Coordinates of all heavy atoms in Angstrom, one line a residue:
I1 N 0.8 -1.2 0.0 CA 0.0 0.0 0.0 C 0.9 1.3 0.0 O 0.6 2.2 -0.7 CB -1.0 0.0 1.2 CG1 -2.0 -1.1 1.0 CG2 -1.6 1.3 1.4 CD1 -2.9 -1.5 2.2
N2 N 1.9 1.2 0.8 CA 2.9 2.4 0.8 C 3.5 2.6 -0.6 O 3.6 3.7 -1.1 CB 4.0 2.2 1.8 CG 3.4 2.4 3.2 OD1 2.4 3.1 3.5 ND2 4.1 1.8 4.2
A3 N 3.9 1.5 -1.2 CA 4.5 1.6 -2.6 C 3.4 2.2 -3.6 O 3.8 3.0 -4.4 CB 4.9 0.2 -3.0
L4 N 2.2 1.7 -3.5 CA 1.2 2.2 -4.4 C 0.8 3.7 -4.1 O 0.6 4.4 -5.1 CB -0.1 1.3 -4.3 CG 0.1 -0.1 -4.8 CD1 -1.0 -1.0 -4.3 CD2 0.2 -0.1 -6.3
Q5 N 0.8 4.1 -2.9 CA 0.6 5.5 -2.6 C 1.8 6.3 -3.1 O 1.5 7.4 -3.7 CB 0.5 5.7 -1.0 CG -0.8 5.2 -0.5 CD -0.9 5.2 1.0 OE1 0.1 5.1 1.7 NE2 -2.1 5.2 1.6
S6 N 3.0 5.8 -3.0 CA 4.1 6.5 -3.6 C 4.0 6.6 -5.1 O 4.3 7.6 -5.7 CB 5.4 5.8 -3.3 OG 5.7 5.9 -1.9
A7 N 3.5 5.6 -5.7 CA 3.3 5.6 -7.2 C 2.3 6.6 -7.6 O 2.5 7.3 -8.6 CB 2.8 4.2 -7.6
F8 N 1.2 6.8 -6.8 CA 0.2 7.9 -7.1 C 0.9 9.2 -7.0 O 0.6 10.1 -7.8 CB -1.0 7.8 -6.2 CG -2.0 6.8 -6.6 CD1 -2.4 5.7 -5.8 CD2 -2.6 6.8 -7.8 CE1 -3.3 4.8 -6.1 CE2 -3.6 5.9 -8.2 CZ -3.9 4.9 -7.4
N9 N 1.7 9.4 -5.9 CA 2.4 10.7 -5.8 C 3.3 10.9 -7.0 O 3.4 12.1 -7.5 CB 3.2 10.7 -4.5 CG 2.3 10.7 -3.3 OD1 1.2 11.2 -3.3 ND2 2.9 10.3 -2.2
D10 N 4.0 9.9 -7.4 CA 4.9 10.0 -8.6 C 4.1 10.3 -9.9 O 4.6 11.1 -10.7 CB 5.8 8.8 -8.7 CG 6.8 8.7 -7.6 OD1 7.0 9.7 -6.9 OD2 7.5 7.7 -7.5
L11 N 3.0 9.7 -10.0 CA 2.1 10.0 -11.2 C 1.7 11.4 -11.1 O 1.7 12.1 -12.2 CB 0.9 9.1 -11.2 CG 1.1 7.7 -11.8 CD1 -0.1 6.8 -11.5 CD2 1.4 7.7 -13.3
D12 N 1.3 11.9 -10.0 CA 0.8 13.3 -9.8 C 1.9 14.3 -10.2 O 1.7 15.3 -10.7 CB 0.3 13.5 -8.4 CG -1.0 12.9 -8.1 OD1 -1.7 12.5 -9.0 OD2 -1.3 12.7 -6.9
S13 N 3.1 13.9 -9.8 CA 4.3 14.8 -10.0 C 5.0 14.5 -11.4 O 6.0 15.1 -11.7 CB 5.3 14.8 -8.9 OG 5.9 13.5 -8.8
E14 N 4.4 13.5 -12.1 CA 5.0 13.1 -13.4 C 6.5 12.7 -13.2 O 7.3 12.9 -14.1 CB 4.8 14.2 -14.4 CG 3.4 14.5 -14.7 CD 3.1 15.4 -15.9 OE1 4.1 15.8 -16.6 OE2 2.0 15.8 -16.0
T15 N 6.7 12.0 -12.1 CA 8.0 11.4 -11.9 C 7.9 9.9 -12.2 O 7.6 9.1 -11.3 CB 8.4 11.5 -10.4 OG1 8.3 12.9 -10.1 CG2 9.9 11.1 -10.2
F16 N 8.1 9.5 -13.4 CA 7.7 8.2 -13.9 C 8.8 7.1 -13.7 O 8.5 6.0 -13.7 CB 7.4 8.2 -15.4 CG 6.3 9.2 -15.7 CD1 6.5 10.3 -16.6 CD2 5.0 9.1 -15.1 CE1 5.5 11.1 -16.9 CE2 4.0 9.9 -15.4 CZ 4.2 11.0 -16.3
F17 N 10.1 7.6 -13.5 CA 11.2 6.6 -13.5 C 11.1 5.6 -12.3 O 11.7 4.6 -12.3 CB 12.5 7.3 -13.6 CG 12.9 8.1 -12.4 CD1 13.6 7.5 -11.3 CD2 12.5 9.4 -12.3 CE1 14.0 8.3 -10.2 CE2 12.8 10.2 -11.2 CZ 13.6 9.6 -10.1
T18 N 10.4 6.0 -11.2 CA 10.3 5.2 -10.0 C 9.1 4.2 -10.1 O 9.1 3.2 -9.3 CB 10.1 6.0 -8.8 OG1 8.9 6.8 -8.9 CG2 11.3 6.9 -8.5
L19 N 8.2 4.4 -11.1 CA 7.0 3.5 -11.1 C 7.3 2.0 -11.3 O 6.7 1.2 -10.5 CB 6.1 4.0 -12.2 CG 5.5 5.4 -12.0 CD1 4.6 5.8 -13.2 CD2 4.6 5.5 -10.7
P20 N 8.2 1.6 -12.2 CA 8.4 0.2 -12.3 C 8.9 -0.5 -11.0 O 8.4 -1.6 -10.6 CB 9.4 0.0 -13.4 CG 9.3 1.3 -14.2 CD 8.9 2.4 -13.2
G21 N 9.7 0.2 -10.3 CA 10.3 -0.3 -9.0 C 9.2 -0.4 -7.9 O 9.1 -1.4 -7.2
L22 N 8.3 0.6 -7.9 CA 7.2 0.6 -6.9 C 6.2 -0.5 -7.2 O 5.7 -1.2 -6.3 CB 6.5 2.0 -6.9 CG 7.4 3.1 -6.3 CD1 6.7 4.5 -6.6 CD2 7.6 2.9 -4.8
A23 N 5.9 -0.7 -8.5 CA 5.0 -1.8 -8.9 C 5.7 -3.2 -8.6 O 5.0 -4.1 -8.1 CB 4.7 -1.7 -10.4
N24 N 7.0 -3.2 -8.8 CA 7.7 -4.5 -8.5 C 7.7 -4.7 -7.0 O 7.5 -5.9 -6.5 CB 9.1 -4.4 -9.0 CG 9.8 -5.8 -9.1 OD1 9.1 -6.8 -9.4 ND2 11.0 -5.8 -8.7
D25 N 7.8 -3.7 -6.2 CA 7.8 -3.9 -4.7 C 6.4 -4.4 -4.3 O 6.3 -5.2 -3.4 CB 8.1 -2.5 -4.0 CG 9.5 -2.0 -4.1 OD1 10.4 -2.8 -4.6 OD2 9.7 -0.8 -3.9

């Protein structure tokens, strides 16, 4: 859940490079 919340924050800020790692976590 923490990883998914971070993914939403990254989507909101258009910081895409961390998304694959968060999804993998």
